[in-house]
Amino acid sequence: MPIIESQFRAPFFLRNGHAQTILPVLLPRRVRAHFVRERLELPDGDFLDLDWLRSGAPRVAILAHGLEGSSTQTYIRGMGSTLAAVGWDVLAWNFRGCSGEPNRLPRAYHSGETEDLRAVITCAAGSYNEMALVGFSLGGNIVLKYLGETAPHPFVRAGVAICAPIDLGACARQLDQRTSNRIYLRRFLTSLIAKIEAKATLFPDIVNANGARHLRSFQAFDDRYTGPLHGFRDADDYWTQSSARQYLTRIAVPTLLLQPRNDPFLAPEAYPWPEAAANPHLFLEAPTSGGHVGFLDLRHGLQPWSERRCAEFLAT
C-alpha cells in the first residue's frame, strides 16, 4: 500500500501554498549547469529542441516542464544539476513552441501529448539502456499518462511526477473559479493567447485569433483552441481523454507522485488515494505543504526539497 508519509517540513513562515509557489519565482537560485541544445526532427515535419547535460553516465533522466515553461526554467535546471551530481545524464526537452522558437505547424503541445515524449525516449534509447522520466505539473501528467496508457519503452525503469494535474477538468476549474488563483490564470492566458495570435499570423486559414484577448478561463481557451487544434471535440473531450488519473492503475514501473496538499493548482480529484493503495508500483506522497513546484525548506538554501527527494527515489 504505497502511500508515503512525507518527510517534507516547510518553515512555519512558508507553510502557505501561495508563498511556496511564488517565492521560487521571485527569488530564483543560480544553477551552474551547461546544457547543450540539439534538435529532434519529427515525422510530421515539426521539431523538438532537446537540452542535454552529459557527463558520460550510463543512464539518463528525461525532464518535462510545465505549462508555458521550457527547459530553461530554474526547476528544470535545478533538478538536472541535482541528478547529474548523483550519476545521471540529463535530457530536458521542450514542448513544441516552448524553446524560444515557434514550431512549424498550426498545432502545438497539450497536456496529453505522449507521442512527442515517445519520440524523445526513442531518441535517447540509442545511447542509454536505463532511463527515468521526471515531469513537473503538465509535464507530470504527460509522464504518468505515458507510463500507464501502454507499455512504456523497456529501457524506462522509473518515473517521478511533481504537482501533476491528473484530473485536468477539475484542476482547470480550480484555476478558473478560485479568486486566489487569478494571478496564475492571467499569467498563463496571456502567454497562451500571444502564441495563438502568432499562429493566426502564420496560419490565417486555420487559426482565428479574433476575440482571443477576451478569453478569461481555461475552459474558454481550451474549447476554442487547444481542443480543436489537437483533434478533440472541445475542452471537456480534451480534458477527459488527456487526464492521467485513468491510467494510474496500469503503471508497472516504480513511480513517485509528489502532490502537496496545499498546491493551489490541484483540485481534490488530483490526489489518487485509491489508485495508489491498489497499485504497488505507484508511490503517492502528499506533504501538507509545498505549493505548486515549490518545496522550499531552506535547509540547502533555495534548493527545493523535491530535488533531493527525486534523487533519493531514483536511487532505490
Side-chain angles (χ1 to χ4, degrees):
M1 212 169 105
I3 296 174
I4 299 173
E5 183 68 30
S6 184
Q7 299 302 307
F8 176 69
R9 299 291 183 271
F12 72 92
F13 55 90
L14 279 178
R15 291 175 184 169
N16 178 274
H18 295 291
Q20 282 278 347
T21 301
I22 294 171
L23 190 61
V25 178
L26 297 180
L27 299 174
R29 79 187 205 269
R30 293 183 179 180
V31 179
R32 296 181 179 178
H34 180 62
F35 285 78
V36 176
R37 178 156 294 184
E38 294 181 359
R39 179 156 290 182
L40 175 63
E41 297 289 338
L42 298 173
D44 63 3
D46 218 337
F47 67 90
L48 299 172
D49 282 334
L50 315 179
D51 283 1
W52 289 90
L53 186 59
R54 292 186 175 105
S55 64
R59 54 189 183 171
V60 64
I62 299 175
L63 312 186
H65 60 79
L67 179 66
E68 287 303 276
S70 74
S71 63
T72 64
Q73 304 298 134
T74 301
Y75 61 81
I76 290 286
R77 296 293 165 121
M79 182 66 78
S81 180
T82 294
L83 293 178
V86 294
W88 292 85
D89 278 1
V90 176
L91 190 174
W93 65 290
N94 293 276
F95 305 153
R96 301 187 192 212
C98 289
S99 64
E101 180 178 336
N103 66 303
R104 299 176 186 141
L105 302 180
R107 60 152 297 176
Y109 69 96
H110 65 83
S111 301
E113 180 51 86
T114 52
E115 286 307 306
D116 285 356
L117 174 56
R118 202 176 309 278
V120 172
I121 291 169
T122 300
C123 172
S127 303
Y128 303 90
N129 60 16
E130 181 179 352
M131 293 183 264
L133 308 181
V134 181
F136 297 83
S137 194
L138 181 151
N141 186 78
I142 292 174
V143 163
L144 294 170
K145 181 172 178 282
Y146 169 81
L147 290 173
E149 64 183 352
T150 59
H153 193 286
F155 293 171
V156 174
R157 308 297 173 84
V160 177
I162 299 171
C163 301
I166 59 172
D167 186 316
L168 294 168
C171 293
R173 288 187 289 273
Q174 177 104 337
L175 284 161
D176 283 349
Q177 297 171 10
R178 281 196 174 184
T179 302
S180 59
N181 282 338
R182 285 180 182 171
I183 184 174
Y184 312 118
L185 177 65
R186 190 177 305 117
R187 184 174 183 181
F188 284 133
L189 288 178
T190 298
S191 180
L192 290 165
I193 290 167
K195 287 185 175 179
I196 284 296
E197 290 178 336
K199 292 279 187 192
T201 300
L202 294 171
F203 307 102
D205 296 334
I206 299 173
V207 182
N208 181 356
N210 291 338
R213 295 191 185 190
H214 297 297
L215 300 177
R216 294 291 182 267
S217 67
F218 279 122
Q219 175 86 53
F221 184 87
D222 288 347
D223 259 334
R224 183 171 176 186
Y225 294 113
T226 313
L229 282 173
H230 298 94
F232 302 101
R233 183 179 63 253
D234 53 21
D236 288 330
D237 183 43
Y238 158 50
W239 294 338
T240 298
Q241 292 197 49
S242 300
S243 293
R245 184 166 183 172
Q246 62 197 305
Y247 301 106
L248 297 184
T249 57
R250 292 156 53 182
I251 290 176
V253 298
T255 300
L256 175 65
L257 175 55
L258 282 178
Q259 302 285 75
R261 301 189 200 201
N262 69 349
D263 185 332
F265 292 23
L266 299 185
E269 293 86 346
Y271 299 87
W273 307 107
E275 292 89 338
N279 185 345
H281 305 289
L282 178 64
F283 297 81
L284 174 59
E285 186 167 347
T288 57
S289 186
H292 191 71
V293 195
F295 296 104
L296 290 180
D297 60 7
L298 303 183
R299 294 182 182 179
H300 297 265
L302 292 174
Q303 184 195 38
W305 168 86
S306 52
E307 293 179 9
R308 306 190 297 275
R309 180 69 183 98
C310 178
E312 176 187 62
F313 181 80
L314 294 180
T316 59

CSV table of all heavy atoms in Angstrom, one decimal, residues 193-226:
chain,number,residue,atom,x,y,z
A,193,ILE,N,-2.4,33.1,-25.2
A,193,ILE,CA,-3.0,34.0,-26.3
A,193,ILE,C,-2.0,34.6,-27.2
A,193,ILE,O,-2.3,34.7,-28.4
A,193,ILE,CB,-4.0,35.0,-25.6
A,193,ILE,CG1,-5.2,34.3,-25.0
A,193,ILE,CG2,-4.4,36.1,-26.6
A,193,ILE,CD1,-6.0,35.1,-24.0
A,194,ALA,N,-0.9,35.0,-26.7
A,194,ALA,CA,0.2,35.6,-27.5
A,194,ALA,C,0.6,34.6,-28.6
A,194,ALA,O,0.9,34.9,-29.7
A,194,ALA,CB,1.4,36.0,-26.7
A,195,LYS,N,0.7,33.3,-28.2
A,195,LYS,CA,1.1,32.3,-29.1
A,195,LYS,C,0.0,32.0,-30.2
A,195,LYS,O,0.3,31.8,-31.3
A,195,LYS,CB,1.4,31.0,-28.4
A,195,LYS,CG,2.8,31.0,-27.6
A,195,LYS,CD,3.1,29.7,-27.0
A,195,LYS,CE,4.5,29.7,-26.4
A,195,LYS,NZ,4.9,28.5,-25.8
A,196,ILE,N,-1.2,32.1,-29.7
A,196,ILE,CA,-2.3,32.0,-30.7
A,196,ILE,C,-2.3,33.1,-31.7
A,196,ILE,O,-2.5,32.9,-32.9
A,196,ILE,CB,-3.7,31.9,-29.9
A,196,ILE,CG1,-3.9,30.5,-29.3
A,196,ILE,CG2,-4.9,32.2,-30.9
A,196,ILE,CD1,-4.0,29.4,-30.3
A,197,GLU,N,-2.1,34.3,-31.3
A,197,GLU,CA,-2.0,35.4,-32.2
A,197,GLU,C,-0.9,35.2,-33.2
A,197,GLU,O,-1.0,35.6,-34.4
A,197,GLU,CB,-1.9,36.7,-31.4
A,197,GLU,CG,-3.1,37.1,-30.6
A,197,GLU,CD,-3.0,38.3,-29.8
A,197,GLU,OE1,-1.8,38.7,-29.4
A,197,GLU,OE2,-4.0,39.0,-29.5
A,198,ALA,N,0.3,34.7,-32.7
A,198,ALA,CA,1.4,34.4,-33.7
A,198,ALA,C,1.0,33.3,-34.6
A,198,ALA,O,1.3,33.4,-35.9
A,198,ALA,CB,2.6,34.0,-32.9
A,199,LYS,N,0.3,32.3,-34.2
A,199,LYS,CA,-0.2,31.2,-35.1
A,199,LYS,C,-1.2,31.8,-36.1
A,199,LYS,O,-1.1,31.4,-37.3
A,199,LYS,CB,-0.9,30.1,-34.3
A,199,LYS,CG,0.0,29.3,-33.4
A,199,LYS,CD,0.7,28.3,-34.1
A,199,LYS,CE,1.5,27.4,-33.1
A,199,LYS,NZ,2.4,26.5,-33.8
A,200,ALA,N,-2.0,32.7,-35.7
A,200,ALA,CA,-3.0,33.3,-36.6
A,200,ALA,C,-2.3,34.0,-37.8
A,200,ALA,O,-2.8,34.1,-38.9
A,200,ALA,CB,-4.0,34.2,-35.9
A,201,THR,N,-1.2,34.6,-37.5
A,201,THR,CA,-0.5,35.3,-38.5
A,201,THR,C,0.2,34.4,-39.5
A,201,THR,O,0.2,34.6,-40.7
A,201,THR,CB,0.7,36.2,-37.8
A,201,THR,OG1,0.1,37.1,-36.9
A,201,THR,CG2,1.5,36.9,-38.9
A,202,LEU,N,0.6,33.2,-39.0
A,202,LEU,CA,1.3,32.3,-39.8
A,202,LEU,C,0.3,31.4,-40.6
A,202,LEU,O,0.5,30.9,-41.7
A,202,LEU,CB,2.2,31.4,-39.0
A,202,LEU,CG,3.4,32.1,-38.4
A,202,LEU,CD1,4.1,31.1,-37.4
A,202,LEU,CD2,4.4,32.5,-39.4
A,203,PHE,N,-0.8,31.1,-39.9
A,203,PHE,CA,-1.8,30.2,-40.5
A,203,PHE,C,-3.2,30.8,-40.4
A,203,PHE,O,-4.1,30.3,-39.7
A,203,PHE,CB,-1.8,28.8,-39.7
A,203,PHE,CG,-0.5,28.2,-39.6
A,203,PHE,CD1,0.3,28.3,-38.4
A,203,PHE,CD2,0.1,27.5,-40.6
A,203,PHE,CE1,1.5,27.7,-38.3
A,203,PHE,CE2,1.3,26.9,-40.5
A,203,PHE,CZ,2.1,27.0,-39.4
A,204,PRO,N,-3.5,31.9,-41.2
A,204,PRO,CA,-4.7,32.6,-41.0
A,204,PRO,C,-5.9,31.8,-41.5
A,204,PRO,O,-7.1,32.1,-41.0
A,204,PRO,CB,-4.5,33.8,-42.0
A,204,PRO,CG,-3.4,33.4,-42.9
A,204,PRO,CD,-2.5,32.5,-42.1
A,205,ASP,N,-5.8,30.8,-42.3
A,205,ASP,CA,-6.9,30.0,-42.8
A,205,ASP,C,-7.3,28.9,-41.7
A,205,ASP,O,-8.3,28.3,-41.8
A,205,ASP,CB,-6.6,29.3,-44.1
A,205,ASP,CG,-6.4,30.3,-45.2
A,205,ASP,OD1,-6.9,31.4,-45.1
A,205,ASP,OD2,-5.6,29.9,-46.2
A,206,ILE,N,-6.4,28.7,-40.7
A,206,ILE,CA,-6.7,27.6,-39.7
A,206,ILE,C,-6.9,28.2,-38.3
A,206,ILE,O,-7.8,27.7,-37.6
A,206,ILE,CB,-5.5,26.7,-39.7
A,206,ILE,CG1,-5.3,26.0,-41.1
A,206,ILE,CG2,-5.6,25.6,-38.6
A,206,ILE,CD1,-4.0,25.2,-41.2
A,207,VAL,N,-6.2,29.3,-38.0
A,207,VAL,CA,-6.3,29.8,-36.6
A,207,VAL,C,-6.9,31.2,-36.7
A,207,VAL,O,-6.3,32.1,-37.4
A,207,VAL,CB,-4.9,29.9,-35.9
A,207,VAL,CG1,-5.0,30.4,-34.5
A,207,VAL,CG2,-4.3,28.5,-35.9
A,208,ASN,N,-7.9,31.5,-36.0
A,208,ASN,CA,-8.6,32.8,-35.9
A,208,ASN,C,-8.4,33.3,-34.5
A,208,ASN,O,-9.0,32.8,-33.6
A,208,ASN,CB,-10.1,32.6,-36.3
A,208,ASN,CG,-10.8,34.0,-36.3
A,208,ASN,OD1,-10.2,35.0,-35.9
A,208,ASN,ND2,-12.1,34.0,-36.6
A,209,ALA,N,-7.7,34.4,-34.4
A,209,ALA,CA,-7.4,35.0,-33.1
A,209,ALA,C,-8.3,36.1,-32.7
A,209,ALA,O,-8.2,36.7,-31.7
A,209,ALA,CB,-5.9,35.5,-33.1
A,210,ASN,N,-9.3,36.4,-33.6
A,210,ASN,CA,-10.3,37.5,-33.3
A,210,ASN,C,-11.0,37.2,-31.9
A,210,ASN,O,-11.6,36.1,-31.7
A,210,ASN,CB,-11.3,37.6,-34.4
A,210,ASN,CG,-10.7,38.1,-35.6
A,210,ASN,OD1,-9.7,38.8,-35.6
A,210,ASN,ND2,-11.4,37.9,-36.8
A,211,GLY,N,-10.9,38.1,-31.0
A,211,GLY,CA,-11.5,38.0,-29.7
A,211,GLY,C,-10.8,37.1,-28.7
A,211,GLY,O,-11.3,37.0,-27.6
A,212,ALA,N,-9.6,36.7,-29.1
A,212,ALA,CA,-8.8,35.8,-28.2
A,212,ALA,C,-8.5,36.5,-26.9
A,212,ALA,O,-8.5,35.9,-25.8
A,212,ALA,CB,-7.6,35.3,-28.8
A,213,ARG,N,-8.2,37.8,-27.0
A,213,ARG,CA,-7.8,38.5,-25.8
A,213,ARG,C,-9.0,38.7,-24.8
A,213,ARG,O,-8.8,39.2,-23.6
A,213,ARG,CB,-7.3,39.9,-26.1
A,213,ARG,CG,-6.0,39.8,-26.9
A,213,ARG,CD,-5.3,41.1,-27.1
A,213,ARG,NE,-4.1,41.0,-27.9
A,213,ARG,CZ,-3.2,41.9,-28.1
A,213,ARG,NH1,-3.3,43.1,-27.4
A,213,ARG,NH2,-2.1,41.8,-28.9
A,214,HIS,N,-10.2,38.4,-25.2
A,214,HIS,CA,-11.3,38.5,-24.3
A,214,HIS,C,-11.6,37.2,-23.5
A,214,HIS,O,-12.5,37.1,-22.7
A,214,HIS,CB,-12.6,38.8,-25.1
A,214,HIS,CG,-12.5,40.2,-25.7
A,214,HIS,ND1,-12.4,41.4,-25.1
A,214,HIS,CD2,-12.5,40.5,-27.1
A,214,HIS,CE1,-12.3,42.4,-25.9
A,214,HIS,NE2,-12.4,41.9,-27.1
A,215,LEU,N,-10.8,36.1,-23.8
A,215,LEU,CA,-11.0,34.9,-23.1
A,215,LEU,C,-10.5,35.0,-21.7
A,215,LEU,O,-9.4,35.6,-21.5
A,215,LEU,CB,-10.2,33.7,-23.9
A,215,LEU,CG,-10.7,33.5,-25.3
A,215,LEU,CD1,-9.8,32.4,-25.9
A,215,LEU,CD2,-12.2,33.1,-25.3
A,216,ARG,N,-11.2,34.5,-20.7
A,216,ARG,CA,-10.9,34.7,-19.3
A,216,ARG,C,-10.8,33.4,-18.6
A,216,ARG,O,-10.7,33.4,-17.3
A,216,ARG,CB,-12.0,35.6,-18.7
A,216,ARG,CG,-12.0,37.0,-19.2
A,216,ARG,CD,-10.8,37.8,-18.8
A,216,ARG,NE,-10.8,39.2,-19.2
A,216,ARG,CZ,-10.3,39.6,-20.4
A,216,ARG,NH1,-9.7,38.7,-21.2
A,216,ARG,NH2,-10.3,40.9,-20.7
A,217,SER,N,-10.8,32.2,-19.2
A,217,SER,CA,-10.7,31.0,-18.5
A,217,SER,C,-10.1,29.9,-19.4
A,217,SER,O,-10.0,30.0,-20.6
A,217,SER,CB,-12.2,30.5,-18.1
A,217,SER,OG,-12.9,30.2,-19.3
A,218,PHE,N,-9.6,28.9,-18.7
A,218,PHE,CA,-9.1,27.7,-19.4
A,218,PHE,C,-10.2,27.0,-20.2
A,218,PHE,O,-10.0,26.5,-21.3
A,218,PHE,CB,-8.4,26.7,-18.5
A,218,PHE,CG,-7.0,27.1,-18.1
A,218,PHE,CD1,-6.6,27.3,-16.8
A,218,PHE,CD2,-6.0,27.2,-19.0
A,218,PHE,CE1,-5.3,27.6,-16.4
A,218,PHE,CE2,-4.7,27.6,-18.7
A,218,PHE,CZ,-4.4,27.8,-17.4
A,219,GLN,N,-11.4,27.0,-19.6
A,219,GLN,CA,-12.5,26.4,-20.3
A,219,GLN,C,-12.7,27.0,-21.6
A,219,GLN,O,-12.8,26.3,-22.7
A,219,GLN,CB,-13.8,26.5,-19.4
A,219,GLN,CG,-15.0,26.0,-20.1
A,219,GLN,CD,-15.3,24.5,-19.9
A,219,GLN,OE1,-15.3,24.1,-18.8
A,219,GLN,NE2,-15.5,23.8,-21.0
A,220,ALA,N,-12.7,28.4,-21.7
A,220,ALA,CA,-13.0,29.1,-22.9
A,220,ALA,C,-11.8,28.9,-23.9
A,220,ALA,O,-12.0,28.7,-25.1
A,220,ALA,CB,-13.2,30.5,-22.6
A,221,PHE,N,-10.6,29.0,-23.4
A,221,PHE,CA,-9.4,28.8,-24.3
A,221,PHE,C,-9.3,27.4,-24.8
A,221,PHE,O,-9.1,27.2,-26.1
A,221,PHE,CB,-8.1,29.2,-23.5
A,221,PHE,CG,-6.9,29.1,-24.4
A,221,PHE,CD1,-6.5,30.3,-25.1
A,221,PHE,CD2,-6.1,28.0,-24.5
A,221,PHE,CE1,-5.4,30.3,-25.9
A,221,PHE,CE2,-5.0,27.9,-25.4
A,221,PHE,CZ,-4.6,29.1,-26.0
A,222,ASP,N,-9.5,26.4,-24.0
A,222,ASP,CA,-9.4,25.0,-24.5
A,222,ASP,C,-10.5,24.6,-25.4
A,222,ASP,O,-10.4,23.8,-26.3
A,222,ASP,CB,-9.2,24.1,-23.3
A,222,ASP,CG,-7.9,24.2,-22.6
A,222,ASP,OD1,-7.0,24.8,-23.2
A,222,ASP,OD2,-7.8,23.6,-21.5
A,223,ASP,N,-11.7,25.2,-25.1
A,223,ASP,CA,-12.9,25.0,-26.0
A,223,ASP,C,-12.6,25.5,-27.4
A,223,ASP,O,-12.9,24.9,-28.4
A,223,ASP,CB,-14.1,25.7,-25.5
A,223,ASP,CG,-15.1,24.8,-24.8
A,223,ASP,OD1,-15.1,23.6,-25.1
A,223,ASP,OD2,-15.8,25.3,-23.9
A,224,ARG,N,-12.0,26.7,-27.5
A,224,ARG,CA,-11.8,27.4,-28.8
A,224,ARG,C,-10.5,26.9,-29.5
A,224,ARG,O,-10.5,26.8,-30.7
A,224,ARG,CB,-11.8,28.9,-28.6
A,224,ARG,CG,-11.7,29.6,-29.9
A,224,ARG,CD,-11.9,31.1,-29.8
A,224,ARG,NE,-11.7,31.8,-31.1
A,224,ARG,CZ,-11.7,33.1,-31.2
A,224,ARG,NH1,-11.9,33.9,-30.2
A,224,ARG,NH2,-11.5,33.6,-32.4
A,225,TYR,N,-9.4,26.7,-28.7
A,225,TYR,CA,-8.1,26.5,-29.4
A,225,TYR,C,-7.5,25.1,-29.1
A,225,TYR,O,-7.3,24.3,-30.0
A,225,TYR,CB,-7.2,27.6,-29.0
A,225,TYR,CG,-7.6,28.9,-29.5
A,225,TYR,CD1,-7.9,29.9,-28.6
A,225,TYR,CD2,-7.6,29.2,-30.9
A,225,TYR,CE1,-8.3,31.2,-29.1
A,225,TYR,CE2,-8.0,30.4,-31.4
A,225,TYR,CZ,-8.3,31.4,-30.5
A,225,TYR,OH,-8.7,32.6,-31.0
A,226,THR,N,-7.2,24.8,-27.8
A,226,THR,CA,-6.4,23.6,-27.5
A,226,THR,C,-7.1,22.3,-28.0
A,226,THR,O,-6.5,21.5,-28.7
A,226,THR,CB,-6.2,23.5,-26.0
A,226,THR,OG1,-5.7,24.7,-25.5
A,226,THR,CG2,-5.1,22.4,-25.7
